[in-house]
Amino acid sequence: METEVDMRKKYSGQKIQVVTAEIRRDGCYLITQRLATSTLPHLWEFPGGKVPDGESSEDVLRALLLDRIGVEVEVGELVMEVVHEYDHYTVDMQVFRCEVPVEQDVEPLKVADVRWVAPSEFGDYTFPGADEATISALLELTPMPIIPDVSMN
């Protein structure tokens, strides 16, 4: 089991390339829960994982989704790239729009759980920082600037 301390030592100062899938069905997004033995255990995330050096993000994503949730996906366009700095390493996360054929059932094979979540329900789940940034970007939840009250009485 790779703990957060192990990960800090292993990746200290490095940029980790990660690939994830934006999978939508009936207005909901597919999210998965990390295993208890994972780094950042029990947190929710978009399905995906680390991309080994020299490998194609799209090929790695296809293999990860088949292995972890039992589906063969069609990898579509790159929706966004999110860079998130943690205390001791940086995650560079590519998010691809993916399609799961309706006849395929998503199963938690190598994840703790899977859920189809409406955008209004994202606040009910705890996500790692990089995934939170992705959710904000996907839902265009950029905070409105605070405009000071300059009215004269």
Side-chain angles (χ1 to χ4, degrees), residues 52-64:
D53 288 338
E55 294 194 29
S56 154
S57 294
E58 294 91 334
D59 290 343
V60 169
L61 186 56
R62 275 187 209 90
L64 286 168

Side-chain angles (χ1 to χ4, degrees), residues 67-140:
D67 183 55
R68 294 181 180 180
I69 59 173
V71 293
E72 294 182 21
V73 298
E74 178 71 31
V75 177
E77 68 178 314
L78 176 64
V79 177
M80 72 183 71
E81 190 161 348
V82 175
V83 177
H84 184 80
E85 292 186 23
Y86 289 92
D87 289 341
H88 299 282
Y89 54 91
T90 301
V91 170
D92 184 351
M93 185 166 75
Q94 293 179 316
V95 182
F96 286 89
R97 184 162 291 135
C98 295
E99 295 291 326
V100 175
V102 292
E103 65 273 6
Q104 290 188 38
D105 291 325
V106 177
E107 299 178 55
L109 301 176
K110 291 188 179 172
V111 296
D113 200 0
V114 295
R115 300 268 170 91
W116 291 97
V117 177
S120 62
E121 298 171 321
F122 277 130
D124 297 339
Y125 298 87
T126 305
F127 293 85
D131 285 85
E132 287 179 356
T134 301
I135 291 167
S136 293
L138 283 175
L139 302 178
E140 299 178 357

Side-chain angles (χ1 to χ4, degrees), residues 6-70:
D6 294 335
M7 196 155 170
R8 281 186 212 145
K9 289 178 185 174
K10 183 176 180 180
Y11 296 110
S12 184
Q14 292 186 29
K15 183 179 273 192
I16 304 167
Q17 183 67 40
V18 173
V19 64
T20 62
E22 174 202 314
I23 302 172
R24 287 189 267 178
R25 186 180 286 170
D26 300 324
C28 293
Y29 291 87
L30 180 67
I31 60 173
T32 60
Q33 187 179 37
R34 293 174 181 238
L35 295 169
T37 56
S38 299
T39 303
L40 306 175
H42 304 293
L43 296 184
W44 291 86
E45 64 187 353
F46 291 100
K50 288 184 256 181
V51 179
D53 288 338
E55 294 194 29
S56 154
S57 294
E58 294 91 334
D59 290 343
V60 169
L61 186 56
R62 275 187 209 90
L64 286 168
L65 295 178
L66 183 59
D67 183 55
R68 294 181 180 180
I69 59 173

